[in-house]
Amino acid sequence: MPTIDTREKILKSSLRLFSQKGYIGATTREIARDACVAEVTLFRCFESKERLFEEVLNRYSFVPELEIIIKEIKQMPYEEAMYYFAIRFYDGLKSRKDIIRIIQTEVYRYPDKIANLYHSMIDSIIMTLANYFSEMQQAGILRFFDVKHAARGLMGLVFSVFNMQELLLRSKYRDDVEIDIIKSLVNIFVRGTLR
Amino acid sequence: MPTIDTREKILKSSLRLFSQKGYIGATTREIARDACVAEVTLFRCFESKERLFEEVLNRYSFVPELEIIIKEIKQMPYEEAMYYFAIRFYDGLKSRKDIIRIIQTEVYRYPDKIANLYHSMIDSIIMTLANYFSEMQQAGILRFFDVKHAARGLMGLVFSVFNMQELLLRSKYRDDVEIDIIKSLVNIFVRGTLR
DNA sequence: TGGCATAGTAAGTAAGCACTTACATTACTA
DNA sequence: TAGTAATGTAAGTGCTTACTTACTATGCCA
């Protein structure tokens, strides 16, 4: 049985290279070299390239952190809560850049494995966020609108900023501070949802 | 010199297969078979797989249609204009699903060619839309906010709906009519930007 | 009808891929 | 110190890939 340390090194290199070159584009030879192990060691740790890929996906999930964030915002005033959520969500995306990129580029080719992971990531957040909006509507703070759609919208706003700023390495808007962009958009969202 | 018809058949099949399987995943053999030509014919039409890929990208652009849409909305009342833009934009994304998917999945691997295409697609729309918001602010209809950020936000909203609904084949929200989702979100956006 | 451009068929090349086998090396532990 | 588990080295297997070469078939126009 291979060492846990060896497995970790390989998983880490796999994350980076799958992210940069895609599943097909990243070769086992390259992953092994990057992890400073022999290629044969890779195949002693993981029975195939496909299994290795699956383990990478399971290893670096995103959901738990977001659940915590939504619990935290319940004690805050609405506008502050929205800023806080958006920024924490954005930071979460940033620190998970590699896995997000993998999901985004491979979701069509490995529908079962990746799509499930993707959906589990988003669905649980949308439902929790939608419940939050519902409570705020009941409390008379927010006007009535479709809460699930709004949850998706808010996440879509943040994600679109992340998508442009972090994944696409745009030159043009680099001078804008990302936080300012998010604040602008959250401000529109807040004004659009308040009673 | 090969026939234009032959080239078109190959380009069309390439679009589909690059979209479904990615640049590396789609083989020249498969593309040729799909286009009902011999593989050698493909190489007589396009000097390499990479050149073929570039020609696919140039062939199916998106910008001109959107420029037209933004011209159209200038005569409409604000709220109606936003609905109209969002829905036309959404339809445009839908009918260009294949090329959007290619851009999204290959943008990291072919930074120069694809990223430029992607940026030219988005930048020109953002600037035109931002100008529209500026004019509406001057006219006293909209409150003051960063118009470029808002333009990105609106496009981000529509794109996130497209992303979930069309690209990811989600099962859960399939019963929601996409138009309703867009209307919900545009409504929030409109209320958030009106004076 | 003859010639030329456009296509197809068939076979092959060189390289790269995931993955395997056989054996040598290291390091820890009993 | 002897044995065992984890790793490395080296070579190779069989398959697929992009791309090529040589030749043949087809259709169109002078």
Side-chain angles (χ1 to χ4, degrees), chain B residues 48-192:
Chain B
S48 68
K49 187 185 179 183
E50 196 170 341
R51 283 284 308 148
L52 169 59
F53 184 60
E54 285 178 45
E55 296 216 27
V56 169
L57 292 183
N58 294 331
R59 191 83 182 60
Y60 304 94
S61 177
F62 189 28
V63 184
E65 194 176 313
L66 281 168
E67 303 274 354
I68 293 171
I69 297 175
I70 294 183
K71 270 183 197 131
E72 288 176 356
I73 65 174
K74 293 209 174 180
Q75 286 96 7
M76 304 181 184
Y78 178 62
E79 184 156 8
E80 190 188 326
M82 290 296 96
Y83 286 133
Y84 184 77
F85 171 81
I87 284 166
R88 288 287 306 266
F89 181 44
Y90 187 77
D91 287 342
L93 289 171
K94 258 171 77 173
S95 68
R96 300 288 201 301
K97 208 190 296 190
D98 283 341
I99 195 78
I100 306 273
R101 187 180 295 190
I102 292 178
I103 289 172
Q104 232 188 318
T105 57
E106 305 291 338
V107 73
Y108 315 113
R109 270 130 237 169
Y110 299 87
D112 291 349
K113 292 154 201 160
I114 307 220
N116 285 342
L117 192 77
Y118 189 96
H119 294 164
S120 80
M121 275 174 69
I122 305 190
D123 278 343
S124 75
I125 307 307
I126 285 182
M127 296 315 280
T128 325
L129 203 56
N131 282 340
Y132 170 77
F133 287 140
S134 255
E135 289 169 19
M136 297 296 278
Q137 285 175 336
Q138 241 80 52
I141 297 169
L142 300 184
R143 66 182 185 85
F144 282 90
F145 49 81
D146 187 305
V147 290
K148 277 199 296 183
H149 297 174
R152 285 176 59 173
L154 181 62
M155 291 177 66
L157 281 179
V158 176
F159 194 82
S160 72
V161 175
F162 167 74
N163 208 35
M164 295 208 189
Q165 207 79 8
E166 290 299 320
L167 294 185
L168 298 176
L169 302 166
R170 315 192 73 241
S171 51
K172 282 238 172 116
Y173 296 94
R174 262 279 171 258
D175 50 338
D176 292 347
V177 186
E178 51 212 332
I179 300 292
D180 288 342
I181 304 176
I182 293 176
K183 279 190 178 171
S184 267
L185 297 179
V186 170
N187 187 251
I188 291 174
F189 183 86
V190 167
R191 281 168 174 263

Side-chain angles (χ1 to χ4, degrees), chain A residues 131-144 195:
Chain A
N131 282 340
Y132 171 76
F133 288 139
S134 256
E135 289 169 22
M136 297 295 277
Q137 285 176 335
Q138 240 80 50
I141 296 169
L142 301 184
R143 68 182 183 85
F144 281 91
R195 203 195 167 82

Side-chain angles (χ1 to χ4, degrees), chain A residues 1-2 6 38 41 44:
Chain A
M1 285 291 107
T6 305
T41 302
R44 281 195 273 243

Side-chain angles (χ1 to χ4, degrees), chain B residues 1-2 6 38 41 44:
Chain B
M1 288 289 107
T6 305
T41 302
R44 280 194 275 242

